[in-house]
Structures are given as C-alpha cells and as structure tokens.
Amino acid sequence: MNTPLSWIKAYVPELDCTVQEYCDAMTLSGTKVEGATCFDADLDKIIVAKIVKIDKHPDADKLVVCQVQINEEGDTIQIVTGAKNVFEGAIVPAVLDGGKVAGGHDGSVTAGGIKIKKGKLRGVESNGMMCSIEELGQTRDNYPDAPEDGIFIFNDLPQYKGIKLGDDAIEVFGLHDANIEYEVTSNRVDCFGIIGIAREAAATFRKPFVPPVVKETGNNEKASDYISVEVKATDLCSRYIARVVKNIKIAPSPEWMQRRLAACGIRPINNIVDITNYVMEEYGQPMHAYDLDTIEGKKIVVDRAKDGDTFVTLDGQERKLDAGVLMINDGAKAVGIAGIMGGENSKITDDVKTMLFEAACFDGTNIRLSGRRIGLRSDAAGKFEKGLDPNTTMEAMNRACQLIEELGAGEVVGGCVDVYPNPKKPWVVPFSLEKCNKLLGTNVGMDEVREYFKRLELDLNEAGDAVTVPTWRQDVLRNADLAEEIARFFGYDKIPTTLPSGEATMGGYPFEKRVENVALDAAVAHSYCESMTYSFESPKVFDKLLYAKDAPERVAIKISNPLGEDFSVMRTVPVNGMLTSLATNYNRRNKDVKLFEMAKVYLSDSEKPVELPDERVKMVLGCIGEGDFFTMKGTLEEILIAEGMKGLVTYENKGNIPFLHPGRQAVVTYGNKEIGYLGEVHPDVADAYGIGEKAYLGVLDMKLICEFANFDYKYEGIAKFPAMSRDISMVMKKEITAGQIEEIIRKRGGKLLESYNLFDIYEGVQIRPGYKSMAYTVTFRDKEKTLEDKTVNEIMDKILKSLEEIGVELRK
C-alpha cells in the first residue's frame, strides 16, 4: 500500500510533522511503514525564473546563452543551455549555483542528486541550469503538461497562474512531499484505502480526522428506469449498487488527480477510468464502468459461470471458466468477471454516451480462488480478496458520482439500484478493562481508554463494559482485540516488563527431540557442522545413487505444484543433499569437511498415498578429507553411547547399499533391528556428484534410535575392590570381525566383566596369509569382594572356548 503524505494531510489538515516522525509514529501505533521516498530528497535551490534574453553561443551551434531573471527585483544570471524549446519570456524552473537536481533528460536518477556548479560551456560562463521534469525526479505520467524533450515551461498553464519569480519551484510543483509505503496486514481491510490510513494517522497524532464531504448527486430521473439488477448468487455477492451517468465526456483527468494516482503506482488514462481508480485508492472499494448501450435487456444478473464457458476480458485474453467463478451478466451474455476484470464486449470507449457504474461487495475467498483458476489477478481483486465492508460500497459510489459532476465528466442520473438483502450492522463486543490490563501488564484508567476508543470511533458505553464496533473494523471481535487497541495507543514502548502470572508448569523437550539433541551434540563434539537441504528433489537422484529400476526407494511422492523437475518429488533417501553439500565444499577447495543433517524422508507404498506418508528423521553424517571408514564408525559409536545404547551394536557388511562401496560398507544393527548404515561412497557415485576424493557417509534412523535410547543414569560409587585384567592375543581369519569377538566376550564375561579394549591389530609376515592378529585387554571386578585368580581363570576359559568354536586361536 503506497500513499503520498500530502493525500493523508488532506484529510488530517492539522498534521504537522516530518516524514521521519510520521513513519516512526505510525509504525509504533500499529500501521507499519516499510519505507518512505521523499520527492525533494535530491532537489535544492530550484526557483521560478524567466528567460529575458537569448543569444547564440559564439562557438557552438547547438547551444544558446540565456539571461535569466531570478527574482522580482530584476536580478539576472547567465545560463547556457542546449534545450530547443526555450524562448524569450519563458518562465522556467532553474537551479542556482550549488543547488541539486535529481537526474537527466533520459529519466535517470542519481542517488544524492547531481550538484550544479557554475562553470564554462565551450568558453562561455554558465551560472546554473534550467530544468526538465525528469531533472526534478518526475515523469510525464505525473506532469502531463511537461514536454517530451526539453525544459518545463510554466507559461499558459492555468494551475501555475499567480506564481512569482524567485518562488521555490519545488513547492510550486508540490514536491515537498513523500511517498509512504505501508505493510498492511490482511485483517486491517480498512487500511487498504487512503481514508483508513488517514483515520489511523489522526488517531496516532491526536488530530481531527476530516474525511471528504460526500454529497448525493443526480438529476430528477431514476436509475431504475435505465437498469435493473438481479443477484442470484447471494452467497458470493452481499451487495450490488448500480448507477447511471449519461452525456459522458471523455477527457484527461485534472493534474492533481493524475499526480495522486501516479504516486500510488497507477497510470492515469482518462477522467472516467481515473475516477474509478481514485475512489478505489481512497476508499479501498473497487469500482467498474460499463458502456450501458452494450448491456442487452438493460439488466444486470450476478450469477456463477457454467463449466466450460469462455470469456474475453479487457486485456483481450480468452479465459476458461468454471462453476466456481462469479460473473456479471446482462440479459443475454457475460460482461465481466466479478471483482477481477470487465469484458471487452462492454468496455468504455471514446464514443461512450451512457455509462453504468458498478460498486459491489463480493466474497473475498471466491475472488482469490477464481483468480488463481483463471490465471488473472488485478488491483481490484487484490482489494476484494481481503473481504470488504459492504457499507463502504455506497460511500464510494456517491464519491465517484460526485467527482464525475465536479470534473464535468457526465450527468449523473438520480437514485441508484441497490441490492442489499442482509445489511451488515455494527456489533457489540463485551469489554473488561481489568482483563485488558492484566493481559498487557498495564494500569490504564477508564478515562484514558475512552479517549483511545473515541479517536478510533469505537463506541464504549457508559457502563464501560461493552463496545460498539463500526463495520469497517472487521478485526475487532473480542476483548483481546480491544486490548490490542489500548496497547497501540498507550505505546508498546511504554508497557512495563512484568512476569507472567499463573501456575508454574514443567517445561522441556519431548523425548524424540531430546534424542535428536543428544545426537546433535555428539556430532558437534566430533567437529561436525550442521547443514540443511531441501526435502524435495529430482527423480534423477535415484539414477545418480545407482538404485535399480525396481528399487522401492524410487516410489516417491510427487509434488502437485513443483518449482520444477529438480524439485518434483519428496525424498525417500536422505543422502542426496549431503553429497551435494560435500561436492560444493570440495569444488570450493575446502578441506577436511565434516557435515551432518537431521533429514526427513517421506516413505509411502505409492506415489499418491491415501494416507499421510511415514515421515522419518534420518541423521546423516558426511565427510571428506581427513578420516576414513573407521573414523566414521567411531563417530556413530559415540553417538549411540551418548543415547545410552551400549553393548548390543554390531556391524555387518551385506553389500546391498548401492551408493556405497561394496567392500567398504556396513549395516548398523542394535539387537535385531537395523538402525543405520555407514561406508565409503561408491566411486561412480562420487564422480556423478563431482567429488574428486574419497567420501564417507553414516546414517542413523532416529525413529528407531528413540526405541532404544535410555537416559536413565544411575550413580555408582568409586570401586572399593581392585580390578583384575587379562591380555589375550589371538589369530583368526580376516573374515572374523571385532564385533563377533566382542559379542563372545560380553556373553561369556558375565556380571564380573567390567570392560574390554582392543589395543592391537596386526597383519603381516609373522602371520600366515589370510589371517590377522587381534589383542584385547579384558578387565574384571567384583563389587562385593576381591577377585581371585581362580574365578577370573574360569571366566577366561569360557571365553577362549567360545572363541575356538568360531576358529579363533591364541597367538603363540
């Protein structure tokens, strides 16, 4: 929402503040200002001047030397110019030595302005510059009387009659003004018009609000003799008003109207179109005009379209319709899409004689959905989508007809056709000042509240327990909304800091989040950095990851409105984003990269599941540079230990993960469940992602981790009795894993087993081919008494016997 500050001041005439003060105060009172553009920010020392004499330049055919009078006392300065439209007696804007202009004849604008200094042009002294409208930072859209190429000339323009030489030209042009940009929330529909913003400004600065005085217009005829209206879709059109204007005179709208529209970003067209746009900006109420001679049967019917209908809109495009689109029809055909755009078959042309004026209130949700279905969104639709107040419709209609008469654009026919079966009335909201003060933490008195509400036109009753809300304030529905109004004008910055009242409650994360946080902390402790990637990706990912054509992972949920093919399915495998991130770091020459992500995958039995997919969080770790398979394995083990999962973790190479190296991968199992996997990235996959060195991945299923995680820690005192250790060195086939060895030690070690630690692994000339040596330290302790060699030897015998059964021998 953009408004020139001068337009606001027209309805709050006592408003006297700087642009910055206005922006700050409006933002603090709840009407957030996004920014302000001051029209005179880059202009300085520009006056009204008169060319009294013109001579040819002695050394340049395209330049002339002008003697320019700069005040009523007759003082003159010399200015050299190349403008072709200057003449003796021309009254022009001129910038003096040391002044600033905004840009050049090409419309360019320089930040901070261009400073003008006296100097010489081809050897002739020049003490200033005469200005085009572009050099004032404006365009011909704002000032249609400006020449297309040349100096602006005040002569013979009635709006500048009475100006004097030496007057501030910036003020003469009305450029001591600013364009204010607001961020209006969708619940404040009243602030989508100048009237609403001005009402807020008046309340903010405690100044009188003086809205335009709107008078009923019209001759002695009746509009009902010209047109009839029938609303069939009453659920989509709460009010429809039609008025008739005859003897139309199409002409340009006045300059003041064109300037205000241009400041709001609307291009002026002609008086009729400009009036509808002007009222739309002023009241936030869209309007539309039809050529009455094109309305068959002199009848308007508001009804839904039919499936398969087509309609050509004002922009010449054919639109496909369905039964959800509300249409404006005459007695034989459709003439407009309600609330969005009129039809080419009833548009206003320069030959129009009689005009039908429409102002209505349509269902906002329907307008929004209709616009999306037909692929069309207009300024009017943007207003209707918010849900307008039907009581503003008549005010806007009367204002438009008044402007038509004031501008001589036509003769307004008396009366109107107003279909308003269920008038909207103000509502009453129960009010409790005590609850408001308790909610806000303030101690505002009733007299102060009455003053706030009076400024906002909220009617607080004598008892102070109920407020009557005007229909334009559709956001005020309950006591909390009234508390917000109090807070806005009491001042958010003045509300004291108070502790919340109420009973204390136990806070904390849910168990699943605690499990994720523990894993996150463990990864960070191992120098991993968190990354975030998209949950949607390309179907081509499965080919890059070497999945078979019939792999169940390829059954991915398709997005109905994707950004493109590369973001068209929900991921079923969590590693694509990680590999992409590793590739980006590798290509940017980052070394020793360690990343992790809590990545959601979306699993379903079909591409379009009837029920919601299974959303599972997978913790993905990836690294390049320093580290290897065992480094990644150690990180996963530390994470599982932090989760309270000890002793039952095994690693098995099944070779069934296609994007990992077949000989350097392992499935992580806890108990009888596979909870994750790890391994080196397959060389072909690394090449596909552009990773030129070995990369490693580790994945844990956090949903399964939650089943086994245990944060119940028990304190145990310092051991009173000594431990007893045994070292065993073993020879075995390479196929036997450390996990198998450790499982036997755990099972046979019994309750006295305290710990075990692998301290040596060897393959070499002293060991026969196909075999390896592993050495463990096994520690035992009895918490009740000192252990005896006999007891420990018996346990060790059981361990060694079980090891022999799988082919393990003691090293001799």
Side-chain angles (χ1 to χ4, degrees):
M1 178 70 187
N2 294 339
T3 70
L5 185 56
S6 58
W7 202 348
I8 300 298
K9 290 182 176 180
Y11 303 141
V12 191
E14 295 184 17
L15 184 60
D16 184 19
C17 61
T18 65
V19 174
Q20 189 61 53
E21 289 171 345
Y22 176 85
C23 296
D24 292 344
M26 292 294 284
T27 298
L28 286 174
S29 68
T31 308
K32 184 182 178 184
V33 175
E34 283 288 292
T37 302
C38 295
F39 298 142
D40 59 355
D42 299 331
L43 307 177
D44 189 27
K45 296 179 70 174
I46 303 176
I47 62 167
V48 176
K50 181 179 180 180
I51 302 174
V52 293
K53 187 179 180 182
I54 299 178
D55 295 314
K56 291 184 178 180
H57 193 288
D59 294 322
D61 294 337
K62 295 184 179 180
L63 298 178
V64 293
V65 182
C66 301
Q67 304 301 319
V68 180
Q69 183 178 343
I70 60 174
N71 55 38
E72 292 291 331
E73 286 74 29
D75 296 333
T76 61
I77 60 173
Q78 181 170 287
I79 297 177
V80 178
T81 182
K84 299 178 181 179
N85 66 325
V86 296
F87 57 89
E88 292 183 358
I91 299 175
V92 298
V95 57
L96 303 178
D97 177 35
K100 292 192 299 182
V101 294
H105 288 282
D106 60 354
S108 62
V109 176
T110 303
I114 301 173
K115 194 167 186 178
I116 303 301
K117 296 181 180 180
K118 64 180 180 180
K120 291 185 178 181
L121 291 178
R122 299 292 295 269
V124 177
E125 185 175 324
S126 182
N127 297 305
M129 186 179 77
M130 292 175 283
C131 303
S132 67
I133 200 65
E134 289 81 11
E135 286 158 341
L136 296 173
Q138 303 300 310
T139 66
R140 296 185 70 250
D141 286 340
N142 304 63
Y143 296 85
D145 295 316
E148 291 187 10
D149 184 20
I151 303 302
F152 188 92
I153 307 294
F154 289 111
N155 302 56
D156 301 326
L157 297 179
Q159 64 268 35
Y160 301 111
K161 187 177 181 180
I163 62 174
K164 298 178 181 180
L165 300 184
D167 285 352
D168 182 0
I170 303 172
E171 183 174 349
V172 170
F173 281 108
L175 296 178
H176 288 309
D177 195 4
N179 196 30
I180 313 296
E181 181 183 357
Y182 307 87
E183 181 186 338
V184 181
T185 54
S186 58
N187 65 321
R188 288 305 304 271
V189 181
D190 56 307
C191 289
F192 282 94
I194 301 292
I195 296 292
I197 298 289
R199 186 184 288 112
E200 285 291 308
T204 298
F205 290 93
R206 292 180 167 84
K207 301 294 183 182
F209 172 54
V210 185
V213 178
V214 180
K215 300 177 181 178
E216 291 191 14
T217 55
N219 59 21
N220 295 327
E221 298 178 278
K222 293 182 180 180
S224 57
D225 294 336
Y226 285 79
I227 194 72
S228 64
V229 176
E230 180 184 2
V231 178
K232 292 185 177 180
T234 55
D235 58 326
L236 302 181
C237 178
S238 57
R239 189 175 193 180
Y240 191 98
I241 299 175
R243 294 198 73 174
V244 176
V245 181
K246 62 182 186 178
N247 301 325
I248 298 296
K249 299 176 182 177
I250 299 293
S253 54
E255 188 176 19
W256 61 267
M257 180 177 286
Q258 293 190 37
R259 288 188 195 174
R260 286 183 173 178
L261 289 175
C264 294
I266 299 175
R267 183 173 63 87
I269 298 176
N270 59 50
N271 51 2
I272 298 299
V273 176
D274 291 352
I275 285 172
T276 61
N277 287 331
Y278 185 87
V279 173
M280 180 175 70
E281 292 301 312
E282 190 172 50
Y283 283 86
Q285 171 64 53
M287 306 184 71
H288 190 67
Y290 301 95
D291 186 341
L292 185 61
D293 293 333
T294 65
I295 304 300
E296 297 188 36
K298 304 306 177 189
K299 182 178 182 180
I300 290 292
V301 179
V302 184
D303 197 6
R304 289 176 169 84
K306 295 179 181 178
D307 290 332
D309 284 354
T310 59
F311 181 70
V312 179
T313 48
L314 278 171
D315 56 4
Q317 299 294 316
E318 184 177 81
R319 310 288 177 177
K320 294 182 179 181
L321 310 175
D322 58 43
V325 180
L326 187 65
M327 301 296 294
I328 308 298
N329 309 284
D330 62 14
K333 63 183 182 302
V335 294
I337 303 176
I340 300 178
M341 186 175 285
E344 192 175 41
N345 57 6
S346 60
K347 67 180 180 181
I348 298 295
T349 65
D350 293 341
D351 299 326
V352 65
K353 302 299 181 184
T354 307
M355 178 182 69
L356 172 66
F357 236 170
E358 167 196 283
C361 188
F362 303 115
D363 179 73
T365 302
N366 176 263
I367 297 299
R368 178 175 59 83
L369 296 176
S370 297
R372 290 183 63 180
R373 286 200 298 273
I374 66 177
L376 177 61
R377 192 174 189 272
S378 60
D379 290 339
K383 304 281 187 183
F384 279 118
E385 288 173 2
K386 307 300 185 296
L388 302 183
D389 174 22
N391 290 334
T392 304
T393 308
M394 182 59 79
E395 296 179 33
M397 175 62 82
N398 290 336
R399 174 65 165 161
C401 291
Q402 180 185 23
L403 288 171
I404 285 175
E405 289 197 347
E406 289 179 355
L407 302 184
E411 179 184 353
V412 179
V413 174
C416 67
V417 179
D418 185 8
V419 180
Y420 193 15
N422 300 302
K424 189 175 183 179
K425 297 179 181 180
W427 55 92
V428 176
V429 176
F431 175 66
S432 170
L433 180 56
E434 180 183 357
K435 290 183 179 179
C436 288
N437 276 323
K438 189 175 181 181
L439 177 65
L440 299 174
T442 56
N443 189 25
V444 184
M446 183 62 74
D447 291 341
E448 194 172 357
V449 169
R450 285 188 184 278
E451 196 267 333
Y452 295 158
F453 287 174
K454 183 178 180 181
R455 282 191 269 151
L456 294 167
E457 300 183 42
L458 300 173
D459 186 12
L460 178 62
N461 65 2
E462 289 296 328
D465 60 2
V467 174
T468 302
V469 182
T471 56
W472 69 75
R473 285 303 303 272
Q474 301 181 37
D475 60 310
V476 179
L477 301 172
R478 55 189 64 84
N479 195 70
D481 298 327
L482 295 170
E484 181 184 3
E485 301 304 303
I486 295 172
R488 289 201 299 137
F489 293 99
F490 176 78
Y492 291 112
D493 55 329
K494 297 177 183 177
I495 296 177
T497 302
T498 57
L499 292 174
S501 60
E503 298 178 358
T505 58
M506 287 295 292
Y509 291 111
F511 183 74
E512 292 79 4
K513 187 62 177 176
R514 288 175 60 197
V515 171
E516 290 182 17
N517 288 343
V518 167
L520 183 151
D521 292 339
V524 171
H526 280 255
S527 302
Y528 280 78
C529 296
E530 186 170 11
S531 66
M532 297 181 68
T533 61
Y534 288 116
S535 296
F536 30 85
E537 54 194 20
S538 170
K540 298 177 183 178
V541 164
F542 302 112
D543 293 331
K544 293 176 70 176
L545 295 177
L546 306 182
Y547 275 105
K549 296 298 182 182
D550 58 347
E553 287 81 3
R554 288 182 177 268
V555 181
I557 299 170
K558 294 182 179 179
I559 299 172
S560 58
N561 56 339
L563 297 173
E565 185 182 3
D566 289 343
F567 303 97
S568 60
V569 298
M570 303 303 293
R571 64 184 172 194
T572 59
V573 184
V575 299
N576 172 64
M578 178 59 66
L579 290 172
T580 302
S581 298
L582 292 176
T584 300
N585 280 274
Y586 173 78
N587 291 319
R588 295 183 182 178
R589 301 184 180 181
N590 293 331
K591 298 180 180 179
D592 300 331
V593 178
K594 293 182 176 181
L595 300 175
F596 77 93
E597 179 184 8
M598 291 297 180
K600 268 192 179 180
V601 295
Y602 302 80
L603 308 178
S604 178
D605 294 334
S606 64
E607 296 179 356
K608 295 183 178 180
V610 177
E611 299 181 356
L612 293 175
D614 180 13
E615 298 184 24
R616 305 179 75 94
V617 176
K618 300 289 186 81
M619 184 179 191
V620 187
L621 298 98
C623 67
I624 56 175
E626 184 180 353
D628 55 17
F629 176 91
F630 296 102
T631 306
M632 178 64 71
K633 177 173 175 286
T635 302
L636 295 186
E637 287 179 341
E638 289 293 332
I639 292 173
L640 296 177
I641 290 172
E643 300 288 3
M645 300 166 63
K646 301 178 182 178
L648 300 177
V649 182
T650 58
Y651 301 85
E652 182 181 357
N653 185 355
K654 296 184 177 180
N656 59 354
I657 303 171
F659 52 84
L660 296 181
H661 192 295
R664 299 169 190 168
Q665 61 172 267
V667 173
V668 185
T669 304
Y670 189 82
N672 296 320
K673 286 192 176 181
E674 294 183 2
I675 61 172
Y677 52 85
L678 76 153
E680 179 185 321
V681 176
H682 196 291
D684 292 343
V685 175
D687 288 343
Y689 280 89
I691 303 174
E693 60 179 289
K694 291 182 179 181
Y696 298 90
L697 293 174
V699 177
L700 292 175
D701 189 326
M702 299 310 295
K703 189 172 183 179
L704 295 176
I705 299 295
C706 288
E707 295 181 15
F708 302 111
N710 183 2
F711 302 132
D712 295 333
Y713 300 108
K714 293 182 180 180
Y715 170 75
E716 293 184 359
I718 298 175
K720 296 179 180 180
F721 302 96
M724 189 174 291
S725 299
R726 293 285 190 272
D727 291 346
I728 52 173
S729 181
M730 301 162 285
V731 177
M732 66 205 75
K733 291 182 178 180
K734 289 184 178 181
E735 290 77 15
I736 297 175
T737 64
Q740 293 174 279
I741 304 293
E742 292 172 2
E743 185 177 4
I744 291 174
I745 294 174
R746 280 197 307 271
K747 289 181 177 180
R748 297 302 183 186
K751 295 181 179 180
L752 298 182
L753 178 66
E754 183 175 81
S755 65
Y756 50 88
N757 181 47
L758 174 67
F759 67 86
D760 181 62
I761 183 168
Y762 173 76
E763 295 180 30
V765 294
Q766 298 182 27
I767 304 296
R768 59 184 182 271
Y771 282 74
K772 63 183 176 181
S773 170
M774 298 178 69
Y776 278 85
T777 295
V778 185
T779 303
F780 302 92
R781 191 192 302 270
D782 191 329
K783 297 178 182 179
E784 304 296 333
K785 61 184 179 181
T786 300
L787 278 174
E788 297 179 356
D789 284 343
K790 179 182 178 182
T791 304
V792 174
N793 290 337
E794 290 176 354
I795 298 173
M796 288 301 299
D797 289 342
K798 293 180 182 178
I799 293 174
L800 294 174
K801 184 177 181 181
S802 296
L803 289 173
E804 288 175 2
E805 292 176 358
I806 64 170
V808 177
E809 304 173 2
L810 284 177
R811 185 175 178 183
K812 298 177 181 179

XYZ file of all heavy atoms in Angstrom, residues 563-591:
228
model
N 8.349 -26.575 -8.088
C 9.085 -25.441 -8.639
C 9.707 -25.811 -9.988
O 10.000 -24.938 -10.795
C 10.185 -25.010 -7.668
C 9.715 -24.500 -6.304
C 10.916 -24.265 -5.391
C 8.907 -23.232 -6.468
N 9.895 -27.093 -10.202
C 10.485 -27.582 -11.442
C 10.794 -29.060 -11.275
O 10.565 -29.654 -10.210
N 11.313 -29.698 -12.322
C 11.580 -31.132 -12.264
C 12.600 -31.461 -11.179
O 12.531 -32.510 -10.547
C 12.080 -31.634 -13.616
C 12.256 -33.151 -13.648
C 12.807 -33.655 -14.982
O 13.105 -32.798 -15.848
O 12.941 -34.874 -15.144
N 13.544 -30.556 -10.946
C 14.579 -30.813 -9.940
C 14.042 -30.775 -8.518
O 14.750 -31.097 -7.572
C 15.712 -29.788 -10.081
C 16.532 -30.026 -11.337
O 16.431 -31.126 -11.904
O 17.254 -29.109 -11.758
N 12.781 -30.345 -8.334
C 12.174 -30.286 -7.002
C 10.770 -30.893 -7.052
O 9.840 -30.371 -6.454
C 12.090 -28.835 -6.519
C 13.407 -28.129 -6.480
C 13.805 -27.322 -7.530
C 14.260 -28.276 -5.402
C 15.021 -26.664 -7.507
C 15.481 -27.626 -5.359
C 15.861 -26.827 -6.419
N 10.618 -32.016 -7.752
C 9.271 -32.518 -8.038
C 8.833 -33.683 -7.166
O 7.667 -34.063 -7.209
C 9.187 -32.929 -9.513
O 10.133 -33.947 -9.801
N 9.743 -34.312 -6.402
C 9.348 -35.436 -5.552
C 9.912 -35.236 -4.147
O 10.919 -34.547 -3.956
C 9.835 -36.789 -6.126
C 9.218 -37.061 -7.481
C 11.352 -36.842 -6.189
N 9.243 -35.860 -3.171
C 9.743 -35.837 -1.797
C 10.788 -36.932 -1.639
O 10.620 -38.043 -2.147
C 8.600 -36.055 -0.813
C 7.455 -35.062 -0.930
S 7.975 -33.350 -0.732
C 8.465 -33.332 0.988
N 11.858 -36.637 -0.942
C 12.972 -37.575 -0.875
C 12.625 -38.812 -0.047
O 11.932 -38.734 0.965
C 14.217 -36.891 -0.305
C 14.097 -36.412 1.129
C 15.349 -35.672 1.546
N 15.187 -35.041 2.844
C 16.009 -34.110 3.329
N 17.040 -33.692 2.609
N 15.794 -33.587 4.517
N 13.111 -39.926 -0.496
C 12.974 -41.191 0.229
C 14.314 -41.659 0.777
O 14.360 -42.564 1.611
C 12.408 -42.278 -0.693
O 13.299 -42.454 -1.809
C 11.024 -41.896 -1.209
N 15.394 -41.087 0.261
C 16.756 -41.397 0.707
C 17.391 -40.091 1.159
O 17.326 -39.098 0.438
C 17.580 -42.027 -0.434
C 18.959 -42.420 0.072
C 16.861 -43.236 -0.998
N 18.038 -40.061 2.319
C 18.474 -38.780 2.873
C 19.830 -38.280 2.417
O 20.260 -37.210 2.846
C 18.513 -39.075 4.384
C 18.893 -40.512 4.471
C 18.245 -41.177 3.273
N 20.543 -39.016 1.543
C 21.955 -38.708 1.314
C 22.209 -37.760 0.152
O 23.323 -37.232 0.027
C 22.764 -40.006 1.106
C 22.688 -40.889 2.337
C 22.280 -40.759 -0.131
N 21.227 -37.503 -0.715
C 21.489 -36.657 -1.888
C 21.917 -35.253 -1.481
O 22.885 -34.705 -2.015
C 20.240 -36.587 -2.774
C 20.403 -35.580 -3.898
O 21.244 -35.721 -4.766
N 19.590 -34.529 -3.857
N 21.196 -34.661 -0.536
C 21.552 -33.315 -0.100
C 22.932 -33.269 0.519
O 23.700 -32.320 0.293
N 23.288 -34.311 1.289
C 24.607 -34.347 1.913
C 25.708 -34.458 0.856
O 26.730 -33.763 0.918
C 24.675 -35.518 2.896
C 26.031 -35.686 3.567
S 26.535 -34.221 4.509
C 25.293 -34.228 5.801
N 25.512 -35.336 -0.130
C 26.518 -35.487 -1.180
C 26.667 -34.206 -1.993
O 27.775 -33.827 -2.387
C 26.141 -36.656 -2.092
C 26.272 -38.053 -1.470
C 25.677 -39.110 -2.390
C 27.744 -38.378 -1.166
N 25.544 -33.514 -2.234
C 25.605 -32.236 -2.954
C 26.398 -31.210 -2.151
O 27.202 -30.449 -2.701
C 24.183 -31.724 -3.228
O 23.462 -32.709 -3.983
C 24.211 -30.430 -4.013
N 26.184 -31.190 -0.837
C 26.908 -30.248 0.027
C 28.400 -30.572 0.057
O 29.243 -29.673 0.014
C 26.327 -30.280 1.443
O 24.975 -29.878 1.446
N 28.729 -31.862 0.136
C 30.145 -32.252 0.124
C 30.801 -31.874 -1.204
O 31.950 -31.410 -1.226
C 30.272 -33.757 0.371
C 29.899 -34.263 1.772
C 29.994 -35.783 1.830
C 30.787 -33.639 2.840
N 30.048 -32.062 -2.295
C 30.591 -31.710 -3.611
C 30.843 -30.207 -3.712
O 31.860 -29.771 -4.267
C 29.631 -32.162 -4.714
N 29.912 -29.408 -3.183
C 30.085 -27.950 -3.213
C 31.342 -27.548 -2.452
O 32.134 -26.716 -2.923
C 28.861 -27.265 -2.602
O 27.688 -27.627 -3.353
C 29.015 -25.752 -2.628
N 31.542 -28.136 -1.277
C 32.731 -27.818 -0.487
C 34.008 -28.288 -1.184
O 35.021 -27.576 -1.181
C 32.621 -28.450 0.904
C 31.752 -27.658 1.840
O 32.218 -26.725 2.499
N 30.471 -28.003 1.898
N 33.953 -29.468 -1.798
C 35.135 -29.974 -2.498
C 35.507 -29.056 -3.664
O 36.688 -28.714 -3.844
C 34.866 -31.385 -3.011
C 35.972 -31.906 -3.896
C 37.163 -32.378 -3.360
C 35.829 -31.892 -5.287
C 38.196 -32.835 -4.180
C 36.844 -32.341 -6.116
C 38.025 -32.814 -5.561
O 39.045 -33.249 -6.372
N 34.509 -28.640 -4.439
C 34.774 -27.797 -5.602
C 35.220 -26.391 -5.215
O 35.774 -25.668 -6.042
C 33.525 -27.726 -6.491
C 33.240 -29.058 -7.166
O 34.150 -29.729 -7.628
N 31.977 -29.457 -7.209
N 34.944 -26.014 -3.985
C 35.434 -24.714 -3.499
C 36.713 -24.868 -2.670
O 37.090 -23.983 -1.932
C 34.338 -24.016 -2.690
C 33.135 -23.654 -3.554
C 32.080 -22.903 -2.798
N 30.929 -22.624 -3.665
C 29.808 -21.997 -3.270
N 29.710 -21.596 -2.011
N 28.827 -21.777 -4.109
N 37.323 -26.048 -2.801
C 38.636 -26.321 -2.226
C 38.642 -26.244 -0.694
O 39.644 -25.856 -0.095
C 39.681 -25.374 -2.816
C 39.804 -25.496 -4.336
C 40.901 -24.634 -4.883
N 40.988 -24.780 -6.342
C 41.879 -24.139 -7.099
N 42.764 -23.336 -6.531
N 41.885 -24.318 -8.397
N 37.545 -26.593 -0.083
C 37.514 -26.715 1.369
C 38.006 -28.105 1.755
O 37.555 -29.110 1.198
C 36.106 -26.492 1.908
C 35.645 -25.068 1.722
O 36.462 -24.153 1.695
N 34.349 -24.858 1.585
N 38.909 -28.172 2.702
C 39.490 -29.449 3.102
C 38.918 -29.894 4.439
O 38.458 -29.092 5.240
C 41.005 -29.315 3.202
C 41.680 -28.948 1.882
C 43.180 -28.822 2.056
C 43.851 -28.456 0.731
N 45.310 -28.302 0.888
